[in-house]
Structures are given as C-alpha cells and as structure tokens.
Amino acid sequence: MIQLIFENREQIQQEAAERVLAMLQEHPTAILGLATGSTPVGIYQEIVKLYTQGLISFKKATTFNLDEYIGLPETHPQSYHTYMKRNLFDHIDLPVEQAYIPNGNAPDLMEECLRYDELINKANQMDLQILGLGHNGHIGFNEPADSLTNGTHIVELREQTRLANARFFHTLDEVPTHAITMGMGSILKAKSILLVVYGEEKAEVAFKALTGPIQTELPASLLQIHPNLTVLMDKEAGRLFND
Ligand code: F6R
C-alpha cells in the first residue's frame, strides 16, 4: 500500500486525473472502475480538462460504475446515471455502449446483478479502480456486515449512509433505502486501486481501515490485502497517519 498525503484537494484531483491519463496513454482499451459521491467530482473535472486539451481519449476505454440506487428513475438528478453524465460522460468521448452502470430499476434486480457480473467477468478485471470511502467504512455500497459479498448484489443502505447522502436530497425520506453494488470480489480483483479520502471527518475511519484489523464490519479494511493500492488523502483525512 502506498499512502500519499497532500496539502490540498486540488493536488489530489490532478494526481488522480494524471493516473487515469497515464493508464489510457499506455492502454487505450483500459477498463476503469468508477465511483460517484462528492469525492471524485473534482477528479472528473480534471479529467474533462485533460480531454478538452486533447490529451486524453476514452474512445477505446470501458468503464464500470460501482453502484446505483434502487428505485430512483435514471433521470433523477441524484441517480448515479445522471451523476456520471453530468460530471463526466457528457464531456468526454467515451462511447455510451462502453459505459456500464447497474440498473437500479431493472424489473428483476437479481437478474440485473447476474447480468452486471457477467459483464464484469467478461472484462475480467478493472485496470484501475477509483474508490471513495464511506463514513462507515463502506466501499461502493458494500456496507459493514457480518459477511461481505463477492459479486454484484442488492444492499440495504445503513442509516449512517442514508444520513450522509441526505445532503444530496431535499429530505432524508427521499434517500433510497436500497442500492445495487459491485461486490468486494470484483473490487479487490482490480489490477490497481486508487482510494481517495478527503476531510477530517474521515480521518478516523481511514486510519482504522488502513492500519487496523481486517474485518467485514469495516469493508475498506479489506483493501489492505490488495497488492497495488494507492491511497490519496488530504492532510485532514491523513492526520492520524502523521502522528
Ligand atoms: C459511490 C461510492 C461510495 C462513496 C462513499 C463516499 O459510488 O462508491 O462508496 O465513495 O459513500 O462518498 P463521498 O465521496 O460523497 O463522501
């Protein structure tokens, strides 16, 4: 595991975007695992800048998103489909048929999990997986639990997660109760993982997940076993690593 602590978020956003650039320059057909939430927004903005400057192309790339809410219409402003379009896909040359996001409105959600896993299995593994960190240690929407799931599955969101994500909705009641998420197996199978963590409020969970015991109640702790994990933290999130 490589941990890098930066003075500010702008530096992290540039670093992460440059890693995506380097990956696509070396492997134009790279498979990228993408996250949503507030953390990657600035990274996507940097990527769009690189694209606008003609430095990066996604024409041959494939992307897999980690998760999607269940029951939110795809066009809802807070669906991850809308998020990806707004923050990245509408601004780059990634062909729409090469961008995969689980369908949280599929008539048969179990079938949708199988379909998503088949697509992931066909791709074999992500070349680069971008991750944010949940306040409760979740990654994707793999929530703390007695056991974790290998493949794509339906998850009931923890209250802490719904409260954290309520900032994107008008009321807590509007936050979906369930989501569909890529499983831990697919995440850990990635060739390389970039975990990005911002802010004092995640300092403790980041420290515990990356230095404490590996436990299913802290899904991000499983990242410790990954052979090619890079963690980018601002100095607030990385505070405890300096002590
Ligand atoms: C969303 C996802 C989640 C978020 C996490 C942190 O696709 O994968 O695990 O990364 O909930 O969210 P933010 O970045 O909003 O703090």
Side-chain angles (χ1 to χ4, degrees):
M1 171 169 59
I2 298 174
Q3 295 152 24
L4 301 171
I5 298 179
F6 292 78
E7 265 311 297
N8 59 56
R9 295 181 187 195
E10 289 70 30
Q11 290 169 350
I12 296 181
Q13 289 156 6
Q14 281 166 11
E15 174 71 28
E18 274 164 26
R19 284 169 186 253
V20 173
L21 172 66
M23 170 63 71
L24 286 172
Q25 280 175 338
E26 201 175 331
H27 304 289
T29 59
I31 300 170
L32 305 172
L34 300 179
T36 56
S38 56
T39 305
V41 171
I43 299 174
Y44 297 149
Q45 280 167 0
E46 283 302 318
I47 290 175
V48 171
K49 268 192 217 161
L50 294 175
Y51 174 74
T52 314
Q53 292 162 10
L55 297 171
I56 194 168
S57 170
F58 291 80
K59 263 199 185 119
K60 297 182 180 163
T62 302
T63 63
F64 283 92
N65 263 81
L66 285 166
D67 41 22
E68 178 56 287
Y69 290 117
I70 288 178
L72 269 198
E74 231 177 78
T75 52
H76 188 285
Q78 296 309 330
S79 82
Y80 289 163
H81 279 75
T82 301
Y83 170 104
M84 288 311 299
K85 280 192 192 148
R86 186 173 59 229
N87 289 299
L88 187 65
F89 296 161
D90 278 353
H91 313 289
I92 59 170
D93 60 350
L94 176 72
V96 68
E97 64 279 10
Q98 288 158 220
Y100 298 107
I101 306 180
N103 177 4
N105 291 294
D108 184 338
L109 290 165
M110 300 297 271
E111 197 58 45
E112 174 59 12
C113 292
L114 293 175
R115 185 192 73 90
Y116 206 61
D117 273 347
E118 265 170 33
L119 291 166
I120 293 172
N121 290 338
K122 221 161 128 193
N124 188 28
Q125 61 181 161
M126 308 301 146
D127 290 297
L128 174 63
Q129 173 69 58
I130 296 175
L131 293 177
L133 176 66
H135 291 81
N136 62 0
H138 72 220
I139 48 177
F141 273 140
N142 291 276
E143 294 280 40
D146 289 345
S147 66
L148 295 171
T149 307
N150 191 39
T152 303
H153 59 285
I154 296 161
V155 66
E156 179 173 7
L157 298 176
R158 288 286 188 99
E159 203 51 23
Q160 199 184 349
T161 299
R162 293 187 65 241
L163 283 168
N165 288 5
R167 69 194 195 276
F168 301 116
F169 293 80
H170 298 298
T171 65
L172 178 59
D173 282 349
E174 278 182 41
V175 185
T177 55
H178 290 76
I180 183 165
T181 183
M182 198 186 279
M184 290 301 299
S186 309
I187 294 173
L188 290 171
K189 204 179 167 192
K191 269 190 208 159
S192 58
I193 297 182
L194 199 56
L195 173 69
V196 182
V197 194
Y198 295 145
E200 162 63 33
E201 72 275 14
K202 291 192 186 163
E204 262 176 51
V205 69
F207 186 71
K208 219 170 133 191
L210 298 170
T211 65
I214 294 173
Q215 44 175 328
T216 61
E217 285 293 339
L218 198 45
S221 66
L222 273 77
L223 295 173
Q224 290 183 43
I225 62 170
H226 194 276
N228 192 359
L229 169 70
T230 304
V231 188
L232 308 181
M233 289 180 278
D234 61 12
K235 59 180 191 306
E236 290 79 13
R239 176 176 59 83
L240 297 167
F241 292 85
N242 293 325
D243 291 349

